[in-house]
Amino acid sequence: MQIVSLTSEQRMLQEVAREMLDAGSAPDAVRRSGGTEYGFDEALWRKAADLGWFGLEVPEEAGGAGGTYLETSIVLREIGRYATPGPYLPHSLALAAMAAAPDSAPAGRWLDSLLSGEAIGAVILPIVAADGRTRYPVRAVESRPDTELRLAGSVTDVPDLGVADVVVVAADGPDGPGVFAIPAEEASFRPVWTPTHDRTRRLYRLDLDRCAVAEEWRLATGRDAARLVDSLMWRAATGLALDGVGGAGHVVETAVEHAKEREQFGRPIGAFQAVKHMCADAFLEAETARVAADAAVMEIAGAGPRRAYWSSVARFRAADAYARAAGDALQVHGGIGMTWEFDLHIWLKRAKLNRAIFGSCDAHRARVARIASGAHEHGSAEEGDHRWTSR
């Protein structure tokens, strides 16, 4: 089933992205990047900036290419296909937040440097809890007697927080949600790296102890903040789904090629029914995930009314398909895919981490169930959508 139809310009973007990553994000390069100080190839990051990847959907008057989320999705999918290390997804989310509030003080300070790649952005967003509801791990509280606003709370598993120059933080305050762009040099920011099995991405923990919020850090408050949080949550879930779709497609192709070439008992192993069915099942899972991700992309790009639903469906479908495809590919390769010297382990470990960040698969299933049953709170009538910000 084909949902997304690419224009010639979009196909060119896809080809250029694949060509660049094929040369700069080969498995040996991925291994080297994982052992560097920042965990990614800074030269490749600069090339991405030079190609305009960071401003694909930023309006032209703000220095971007004036595209839609569809262009961004093409790059995110190719990054997933090559398991490219780097803060591409959180950076794109931080940029989307800045572009949504172009007249704010943070956008005026950070937008140009984020577009050029000179500064790196990260995000701290609400989490989808086990019951499908949204929970804010960061709270904005008023400090007496001067009623200064401060941030408090603890967050875990935040991607690429340690390399960020600015962090977009969504917090639940006394008057509703607020979104703030906080410089990483702020004294209260002391992210702690929590190593995982996936060396293509780095996760951090942050404990905020009443971090004072300067007025010039405010991106949005009230209803504007609620809408912005909604948008960032949809993009985070869909962006991770696109990473999974790209990765699942790659490991399925790898498994099929190996099944054609590897011989046992004088025949390619792909001729044996068990292997044949394993490859077919993995392909079906990957294609189902692709359709769900395409639906979410089109909803976001066109401001469709079912963005919350499809972003969560895409999130858990892609994570499940990626893990299934990587596990099956390991079996097709005779189990050697777990060894450090064999390339497949890179995608297998990335697939496992995809199931845990930006909300678990089970949490997003619960989210979809709440939306489908009507238990999820509605947003304003003019939006016609279910809100991430319901408590």
Side-chain angles (χ1 to χ4, degrees):
M1 181 179 179
Q2 189 70 30
I3 294 179
V4 176
S5 180
L6 301 182
T7 65
S8 59
E9 290 82 5
Q10 291 164 346
R11 285 194 296 271
M12 184 179 298
L13 171 63
Q14 184 181 54
E15 291 169 3
V16 169
R18 190 165 295 188
E19 180 179 341
M20 189 186 88
L21 295 176
D22 197 45
S25 191
D28 286 343
V30 171
R31 289 187 182 91
R32 288 194 300 270
S33 297
T36 62
E37 180 181 0
Y38 298 111
F40 67 96
D41 186 341
E42 294 178 80
L44 192 66
W45 179 263
R46 288 191 293 271
K47 288 181 182 178
D50 291 341
L51 289 172
W53 284 9
F54 304 147
L56 289 171
E57 55 178 319
V58 175
E60 293 182 14
E61 56 270 23
T68 69
Y69 186 70
L70 180 52
E71 282 76 22
T72 299
S73 76
I74 292 170
V75 170
L76 291 177
R77 190 174 308 200
E78 294 305 314
I79 287 171
R81 178 181 177 83
Y82 288 90
T84 304
Y88 295 92
L89 177 55
H91 185 77
S92 73
L93 295 172
L95 251 173
M98 300 291 181
D103 298 326
S104 65
R109 175 182 177 183
W110 292 105
L111 189 56
D112 288 344
S113 57
L114 289 174
L115 284 170
S116 68
E118 295 176 6
I120 297 175
V123 293
I124 294 176
L125 299 175
I127 61 173
V128 182
D131 61 358
R133 296 177 182 269
T134 300
R135 297 286 184 267
Y136 281 79
V138 177
R139 303 178 309 280
V141 296
E142 290 183 347
S143 177
R144 303 296 179 183
D146 54 4
T147 66
E148 182 181 44
L149 203 61
R150 295 177 177 269
L151 301 182
S154 296
V155 290
T156 59
D157 300 336
V158 182
D160 302 297
L161 188 61
V163 299
D165 298 289
V166 59
V167 185
V168 174
V169 180
D172 195 11
D175 299 318
V179 182
F180 311 93
I182 303 180
E185 69 262 18
E186 159 60 30
S188 299
F189 267 72
R190 293 289 182 269
V192 178
W193 178 26
T194 53
T196 69
H197 53 270
D198 178 17
R199 296 188 66 180
T200 68
R201 287 171 301 191
R202 294 188 178 180
L203 302 184
Y204 294 81
R205 175 189 176 90
L206 179 66
D207 297 312
L208 286 171
D209 185 15
R210 302 181 70 79
C211 166
V213 177
E215 184 62 33
E216 62 267 23
W217 295 351
R218 295 176 186 262
L219 260 176
T221 56
R223 294 180 63 81
D224 290 338
R227 284 190 289 268
L228 180 55
V229 171
D230 285 348
S231 175
L232 295 177
M233 294 290 283
W234 300 326
R235 289 164 182 267
T238 304
L240 198 62
L242 292 163
D243 184 271
V245 168
H250 171 79
V251 296
V252 169
E253 291 173 9
T254 301
V256 170
E257 287 303 312
H258 182 77
K260 290 178 180 178
E261 297 172 0
R262 173 67 171 166
E263 292 189 358
Q264 287 287 347
F265 308 108
R267 301 168 62 189
I269 62 173
F272 297 104
Q273 191 174 54
V275 175
K276 188 184 302 183
H277 285 185
M278 191 178 296
C279 291
D281 289 345
F283 173 79
L284 181 60
E285 289 283 333
E287 281 296 288
T288 303
R290 180 187 62 78
V291 171
D294 284 351
V297 167
M298 297 310 294
E299 285 288 309
I300 293 173
R306 306 194 72 194
R307 289 164 288 180
Y309 177 86
W310 279 111
S311 60
S312 277
V313 170
R315 165 69 181 85
F316 72 75
R317 288 296 301 170
D320 286 346
Y322 194 4
R324 166 73 181 273
D328 286 350
L330 184 149
Q331 297 301 321
V332 171
H333 284 80
I336 61 174
M338 276 299 291
T339 63
W340 179 251
E341 294 77 15
F342 197 74
D343 296 342
L344 183 59
H345 83 93
I346 296 171
W347 283 265
L348 178 69
K349 293 172 182 176
R350 189 167 173 120
K352 295 297 184 182
L353 189 61
N354 272 18
R355 295 176 57 84
I357 55 179
F358 290 128
S360 69
C361 292
D362 286 344
H364 280 277
R365 287 190 181 90
R367 167 74 63 176
V368 170
R370 288 181 58 82
I371 294 173
S373 67
H376 198 61
E377 293 183 15
H378 289 270
S380 59
E382 66 268 22
E383 290 173 335
D385 205 351
H386 298 286
R387 298 293 293 279
W388 281 99
T389 49
S390 61
R391 299 180 189 51

PDB file of all heavy atoms in Angstrom, residues 133-158:
ATOM      1  N   ARG A 133      -1.973   7.992  29.504  1.00  0.00           N
ATOM      2  CA  ARG A 133      -2.094   9.414  29.795  1.00  0.00           C
ATOM      3  C   ARG A 133      -0.726  10.092  29.699  1.00  0.00           C
ATOM      4  O   ARG A 133       0.315   9.431  29.728  1.00  0.00           O
ATOM      5  CB  ARG A 133      -2.670   9.623  31.197  1.00  0.00           C
ATOM      6  CG  ARG A 133      -4.098   9.110  31.367  1.00  0.00           C
ATOM      7  CD  ARG A 133      -4.542   9.288  32.803  1.00  0.00           C
ATOM      8  NE  ARG A 133      -5.879   8.774  33.027  1.00  0.00           N
ATOM      9  CZ  ARG A 133      -6.986   9.486  32.913  1.00  0.00           C
ATOM     10  NH1 ARG A 133      -6.904  10.759  32.570  1.00  0.00           N
ATOM     11  NH2 ARG A 133      -8.162   8.956  33.141  1.00  0.00           N
ATOM     12  N   THR A 134      -0.752  11.405  29.629  1.00  0.00           N
ATOM     13  CA  THR A 134       0.478  12.179  29.566  1.00  0.00           C
ATOM     14  C   THR A 134       0.887  12.633  30.958  1.00  0.00           C
ATOM     15  O   THR A 134       0.047  13.077  31.747  1.00  0.00           O
ATOM     16  CB  THR A 134       0.288  13.407  28.667  1.00  0.00           C
ATOM     17  OG1 THR A 134      -0.071  12.966  27.362  1.00  0.00           O
ATOM     18  CG2 THR A 134       1.564  14.225  28.575  1.00  0.00           C
ATOM     19  N   ARG A 135       2.179  12.495  31.249  1.00  0.00           N
ATOM     20  CA  ARG A 135       2.712  12.939  32.534  1.00  0.00           C
ATOM     21  C   ARG A 135       3.895  13.867  32.282  1.00  0.00           C
ATOM     22  O   ARG A 135       4.750  13.573  31.458  1.00  0.00           O
ATOM     23  CB  ARG A 135       3.179  11.738  33.371  1.00  0.00           C
ATOM     24  CG  ARG A 135       2.062  10.767  33.748  1.00  0.00           C
ATOM     25  CD  ARG A 135       1.166  11.345  34.830  1.00  0.00           C
ATOM     26  NE  ARG A 135       0.156  10.384  35.270  1.00  0.00           N
ATOM     27  CZ  ARG A 135      -1.077  10.304  34.764  1.00  0.00           C
ATOM     28  NH1 ARG A 135      -1.432  11.149  33.800  1.00  0.00           N
ATOM     29  NH2 ARG A 135      -1.934   9.409  35.195  1.00  0.00           N
ATOM     30  N   TYR A 136       3.905  14.986  33.011  1.00  0.00           N
ATOM     31  CA  TYR A 136       5.023  15.926  32.912  1.00  0.00           C
ATOM     32  C   TYR A 136       6.041  15.621  34.010  1.00  0.00           C
ATOM     33  O   TYR A 136       5.748  15.820  35.192  1.00  0.00           O
ATOM     34  CB  TYR A 136       4.534  17.362  33.083  1.00  0.00           C
ATOM     35  CG  TYR A 136       3.891  17.966  31.868  1.00  0.00           C
ATOM     36  CD1 TYR A 136       2.587  17.663  31.519  1.00  0.00           C
ATOM     37  CD2 TYR A 136       4.597  18.851  31.070  1.00  0.00           C
ATOM     38  CE1 TYR A 136       1.992  18.224  30.404  1.00  0.00           C
ATOM     39  CE2 TYR A 136       4.014  19.433  29.949  1.00  0.00           C
ATOM     40  CZ  TYR A 136       2.710  19.104  29.625  1.00  0.00           C
ATOM     41  OH  TYR A 136       2.130  19.674  28.516  1.00  0.00           O
ATOM     42  N   PRO A 137       7.235  15.176  33.668  1.00  0.00           N
ATOM     43  CA  PRO A 137       8.238  14.941  34.714  1.00  0.00           C
ATOM     44  C   PRO A 137       8.844  16.221  35.262  1.00  0.00           C
ATOM     45  O   PRO A 137       9.463  16.216  36.321  1.00  0.00           O
ATOM     46  CB  PRO A 137       9.298  14.092  33.995  1.00  0.00           C
ATOM     47  CG  PRO A 137       9.163  14.458  32.561  1.00  0.00           C
ATOM     48  CD  PRO A 137       7.713  14.768  32.337  1.00  0.00           C
ATOM     49  N   VAL A 138       8.688  17.332  34.510  1.00  0.00           N
ATOM     50  CA  VAL A 138       9.226  18.626  34.959  1.00  0.00           C
ATOM     51  C   VAL A 138       8.068  19.534  35.326  1.00  0.00           C
ATOM     52  O   VAL A 138       7.080  19.649  34.590  1.00  0.00           O
ATOM     53  CB  VAL A 138      10.084  19.283  33.857  1.00  0.00           C
ATOM     54  CG1 VAL A 138      10.576  20.656  34.310  1.00  0.00           C
ATOM     55  CG2 VAL A 138      11.276  18.392  33.507  1.00  0.00           C
ATOM     56  N   ARG A 139       8.175  20.189  36.468  1.00  0.00           N
ATOM     57  CA  ARG A 139       7.145  21.105  36.949  1.00  0.00           C
ATOM     58  C   ARG A 139       7.713  22.514  37.022  1.00  0.00           C
ATOM     59  O   ARG A 139       8.884  22.707  37.373  1.00  0.00           O
ATOM     60  CB  ARG A 139       6.650  20.689  38.336  1.00  0.00           C
ATOM     61  CG  ARG A 139       6.116  19.281  38.413  1.00  0.00           C
ATOM     62  CD  ARG A 139       5.688  18.932  39.836  1.00  0.00           C
ATOM     63  NE  ARG A 139       6.730  19.218  40.811  1.00  0.00           N
ATOM     64  CZ  ARG A 139       7.773  18.424  41.037  1.00  0.00           C
ATOM     65  NH1 ARG A 139       7.923  17.298  40.336  1.00  0.00           N
ATOM     66  NH2 ARG A 139       8.678  18.742  41.952  1.00  0.00           N
ATOM     67  N   ALA A 140       6.890  23.478  36.703  1.00  0.00           N
ATOM     68  CA  ALA A 140       7.247  24.889  36.881  1.00  0.00           C
ATOM     69  C   ALA A 140       6.552  25.376  38.141  1.00  0.00           C
ATOM     70  O   ALA A 140       5.323  25.352  38.226  1.00  0.00           O
ATOM     71  CB  ALA A 140       6.822  25.701  35.671  1.00  0.00           C
ATOM     72  N   VAL A 141       7.316  25.794  39.126  1.00  0.00           N
ATOM     73  CA  VAL A 141       6.755  26.212  40.410  1.00  0.00           C
ATOM     74  C   VAL A 141       7.165  27.651  40.693  1.00  0.00           C
ATOM     75  O   VAL A 141       8.232  28.110  40.265  1.00  0.00           O
ATOM     76  CB  VAL A 141       7.231  25.287  41.555  1.00  0.00           C
ATOM     77  CG1 VAL A 141       6.720  23.879  41.336  1.00  0.00           C
ATOM     78  CG2 VAL A 141       8.747  25.277  41.653  1.00  0.00           C
ATOM     79  N   GLU A 142       6.329  28.358  41.443  1.00  0.00           N
ATOM     80  CA  GLU A 142       6.624  29.738  41.810  1.00  0.00           C
ATOM     81  C   GLU A 142       7.388  29.762  43.126  1.00  0.00           C
ATOM     82  O   GLU A 142       7.028  29.082  44.081  1.00  0.00           O
ATOM     83  CB  GLU A 142       5.331  30.539  41.928  1.00  0.00           C
ATOM     84  CG  GLU A 142       4.649  30.782  40.596  1.00  0.00           C
ATOM     85  CD  GLU A 142       3.415  31.638  40.737  1.00  0.00           C
ATOM     86  OE1 GLU A 142       2.958  31.828  41.885  1.00  0.00           O
ATOM     87  OE2 GLU A 142       2.899  32.123  39.710  1.00  0.00           O
ATOM     88  N   SER A 143       8.434  30.550  43.135  1.00  0.00           N
ATOM     89  CA  SER A 143       9.269  30.681  44.324  1.00  0.00           C
ATOM     90  C   SER A 143       8.865  31.951  45.079  1.00  0.00           C
ATOM     91  O   SER A 143       8.812  33.023  44.494  1.00  0.00           O
ATOM     92  CB  SER A 143      10.742  30.752  43.925  1.00  0.00           C
ATOM     93  OG  SER A 143      11.558  30.955  45.058  1.00  0.00           O
ATOM     94  N   ARG A 144       8.565  31.793  46.335  1.00  0.00           N
ATOM     95  CA  ARG A 144       8.179  32.938  47.169  1.00  0.00           C
ATOM     96  C   ARG A 144       9.415  33.578  47.777  1.00  0.00           C
ATOM     97  O   ARG A 144      10.412  32.897  48.018  1.00  0.00           O
ATOM     98  CB  ARG A 144       7.220  32.462  48.269  1.00  0.00           C
ATOM     99  CG  ARG A 144       5.979  31.763  47.750  1.00  0.00           C
ATOM    100  CD  ARG A 144       5.105  32.675  46.932  1.00  0.00           C
ATOM    101  NE  ARG A 144       3.921  31.979  46.427  1.00  0.00           N
ATOM    102  CZ  ARG A 144       3.035  32.554  45.648  1.00  0.00           C
ATOM    103  NH1 ARG A 144       3.180  33.821  45.286  1.00  0.00           N
ATOM    104  NH2 ARG A 144       1.987  31.879  45.226  1.00  0.00           N
ATOM    105  N   PRO A 145       9.382  34.892  48.065  1.00  0.00           N
ATOM    106  CA  PRO A 145       8.227  35.792  47.914  1.00  0.00           C
ATOM    107  C   PRO A 145       8.174  36.514  46.568  1.00  0.00           C
ATOM    108  O   PRO A 145       7.243  37.260  46.311  1.00  0.00           O
ATOM    109  CB  PRO A 145       8.460  36.791  49.048  1.00  0.00           C
ATOM    110  CG  PRO A 145       9.963  36.897  49.123  1.00  0.00           C
ATOM    111  CD  PRO A 145      10.501  35.540  48.792  1.00  0.00           C
ATOM    112  N   ASP A 146       9.190  36.327  45.725  1.00  0.00           N
ATOM    113  CA  ASP A 146       9.246  37.107  44.489  1.00  0.00           C
ATOM    114  C   ASP A 146       8.480  36.461  43.339  1.00  0.00           C
ATOM    115  O   ASP A 146       8.447  36.996  42.238  1.00  0.00           O
ATOM    116  CB  ASP A 146      10.700  37.320  44.077  1.00  0.00           C
ATOM    117  CG  ASP A 146      11.476  36.007  43.963  1.00  0.00           C
ATOM    118  OD1 ASP A 146      10.848  34.943  44.141  1.00  0.00           O
ATOM    119  OD2 ASP A 146      12.683  36.064  43.694  1.00  0.00           O
ATOM    120  N   THR A 147       7.855  35.316  43.591  1.00  0.00           N
ATOM    121  CA  THR A 147       7.067  34.566  42.590  1.00  0.00           C
ATOM    122  C   THR A 147       7.875  34.283  41.329  1.00  0.00           C
ATOM    123  O   THR A 147       7.340  34.239  40.230  1.00  0.00           O
ATOM    124  CB  THR A 147       5.766  35.296  42.213  1.00  0.00           C
ATOM    125  OG1 THR A 147       6.076  36.510  41.530  1.00  0.00           O
ATOM    126  CG2 THR A 147       4.909  35.556  43.427  1.00  0.00           C
ATOM    127  N   GLU A 148       9.179  34.104  41.486  1.00  0.00           N
ATOM    128  CA  GLU A 148      10.024  33.727  40.352  1.00  0.00           C
ATOM    129  C   GLU A 148       9.699  32.285  39.956  1.00  0.00           C
ATOM    130  O   GLU A 148       9.502  31.426  40.812  1.00  0.00           O
ATOM    131  CB  GLU A 148      11.495  33.851  40.729  1.00  0.00           C
ATOM    132  CG  GLU A 148      12.449  33.522  39.600  1.00  0.00           C
ATOM    133  CD  GLU A 148      13.897  33.635  40.024  1.00  0.00           C
ATOM    134  OE1 GLU A 148      14.209  33.150  41.138  1.00  0.00           O
ATOM    135  OE2 GLU A 148      14.696  34.203  39.268  1.00  0.00           O
ATOM    136  N   LEU A 149       9.643  32.032  38.662  1.00  0.00           N
ATOM    137  CA  LEU A 149       9.324  30.692  38.171  1.00  0.00           C
ATOM    138  C   LEU A 149      10.585  29.837  38.155  1.00  0.00           C
ATOM    139  O   LEU A 149      11.635  30.264  37.656  1.00  0.00           O
ATOM    140  CB  LEU A 149       8.728  30.774  36.764  1.00  0.00           C
ATOM    141  CG  LEU A 149       7.849  29.599  36.320  1.00  0.00           C
ATOM    142  CD1 LEU A 149       6.643  29.469  37.236  1.00  0.00           C
ATOM    143  CD2 LEU A 149       7.407  29.803  34.883  1.00  0.00           C
ATOM    144  N   ARG A 150      10.457  28.629  38.700  1.00  0.00           N
ATOM    145  CA  ARG A 150      11.581  27.695  38.736  1.00  0.00           C
ATOM    146  C   ARG A 150      11.132  26.319  38.256  1.00  0.00           C
ATOM    147  O   ARG A 150       9.956  25.964  38.383  1.00  0.00           O
ATOM    148  CB  ARG A 150      12.158  27.593  40.155  1.00  0.00           C
ATOM    149  CG  ARG A 150      12.789  28.888  40.646  1.00  0.00           C
ATOM    150  CD  ARG A 150      13.291  28.774  42.075  1.00  0.00           C
ATOM    151  NE  ARG A 150      13.948  29.990  42.518  1.00  0.00           N
ATOM    152  CZ  ARG A 150      15.246  30.221  42.386  1.00  0.00           C
ATOM    153  NH1 ARG A 150      16.027  29.292  41.838  1.00  0.00           N
ATOM    154  NH2 ARG A 150      15.772  31.349  42.800  1.00  0.00           N
ATOM    155  N   LEU A 151      12.079  25.554  37.701  1.00  0.00           N
ATOM    156  CA  LEU A 151      11.790  24.211  37.207  1.00  0.00           C
ATOM    157  C   LEU A 151      12.334  23.177  38.177  1.00  0.00           C
ATOM    158  O   LEU A 151      13.451  23.303  38.685  1.00  0.00           O
ATOM    159  CB  LEU A 151      12.425  23.997  35.826  1.00  0.00           C
ATOM    160  CG  LEU A 151      11.994  24.947  34.709  1.00  0.00           C
ATOM    161  CD1 LEU A 151      12.685  24.569  33.404  1.00  0.00           C
ATOM    162  CD2 LEU A 151      10.477  24.937  34.530  1.00  0.00           C
ATOM    163  N   ALA A 152      11.525  22.148  38.412  1.00  0.00           N
ATOM    164  CA  ALA A 152      11.933  21.073  39.309  1.00  0.00           C
ATOM    165  C   ALA A 152      11.462  19.745  38.733  1.00  0.00           C
ATOM    166  O   ALA A 152      10.449  19.667  38.040  1.00  0.00           O
ATOM    167  CB  ALA A 152      11.342  21.289  40.704  1.00  0.00           C
ATOM    168  N   GLY A 153      12.215  18.700  39.024  1.00  0.00           N
ATOM    169  CA  GLY A 153      11.832  17.362  38.568  1.00  0.00           C
ATOM    170  C   GLY A 153      13.032  16.575  38.077  1.00  0.00           C
ATOM    171  O   GLY A 153      14.144  17.105  37.946  1.00  0.00           O
ATOM    172  N   SER A 154      12.806  15.304  37.820  1.00  0.00           N
ATOM    173  CA  SER A 154      13.858  14.415  37.324  1.00  0.00           C
ATOM    174  C   SER A 154      13.387  13.753  36.041  1.00  0.00           C
ATOM    175  O   SER A 154      12.234  13.313  35.944  1.00  0.00           O
ATOM    176  CB  SER A 154      14.194  13.338  38.366  1.00  0.00           C
ATOM    177  OG  SER A 154      14.741  13.908  39.535  1.00  0.00           O
ATOM    178  N   VAL A 155      14.264  13.688  35.061  1.00  0.00           N
ATOM    179  CA  VAL A 155      13.947  13.035  33.791  1.00  0.00           C
ATOM    180  C   VAL A 155      15.046  12.032  33.479  1.00  0.00           C
ATOM    181  O   VAL A 155      16.220  12.231  33.813  1.00  0.00           O
ATOM    182  CB  VAL A 155      13.817  14.060  32.643  1.00  0.00           C
ATOM    183  CG1 VAL A 155      12.581  14.904  32.808  1.00  0.00           C
ATOM    184  CG2 VAL A 155      15.051  14.941  32.548  1.00  0.00           C
ATOM    185  N   THR A 156      14.664  10.955  32.833  1.00  0.00           N
ATOM    186  CA  THR A 156      15.613   9.921  32.447  1.00  0.00           C
ATOM    187  C   THR A 156      15.479   9.627  30.958  1.00  0.00           C
ATOM    188  O   THR A 156      14.482   9.994  30.326  1.00  0.00           O
ATOM    189  CB  THR A 156      15.369   8.628  33.237  1.00  0.00           C
ATOM    190  OG1 THR A 156      14.035   8.162  33.004  1.00  0.00           O
ATOM    191  CG2 THR A 156      15.578   8.850  34.729  1.00  0.00           C
ATOM    192  N   ASP A 157      16.486   8.973  30.420  1.00  0.00           N
ATOM    193  CA  ASP A 157      16.471   8.507  29.028  1.00  0.00           C
ATOM    194  C   ASP A 157      16.221   9.638  28.038  1.00  0.00           C
ATOM    195  O   ASP A 157      15.442   9.506  27.091  1.00  0.00           O
ATOM    196  CB  ASP A 157      15.419   7.408  28.839  1.00  0.00           C
ATOM    197  CG  ASP A 157      15.677   6.191  29.710  1.00  0.00           C
ATOM    198  OD1 ASP A 157      16.845   5.988  30.083  1.00  0.00           O
ATOM    199  OD2 ASP A 157      14.727   5.453  30.008  1.00  0.00           O
ATOM    200  N   VAL A 158      16.898  10.768  28.250  1.00  0.00           N
ATOM    201  CA  VAL A 158      16.785  11.901  27.332  1.00  0.00           C
ATOM    202  C   VAL A 158      17.880  11.785  26.279  1.00  0.00           C
ATOM    203  O   VAL A 158      19.070  11.850  26.612  1.00  0.00           O
ATOM    204  CB  VAL A 158      16.904  13.242  28.070  1.00  0.00           C
ATOM    205  CG1 VAL A 158      16.722  14.397  27.088  1.00  0.00           C
ATOM    206  CG2 VAL A 158      15.878  13.332  29.186  1.00  0.00           C
TER     207      VAL A 158
END
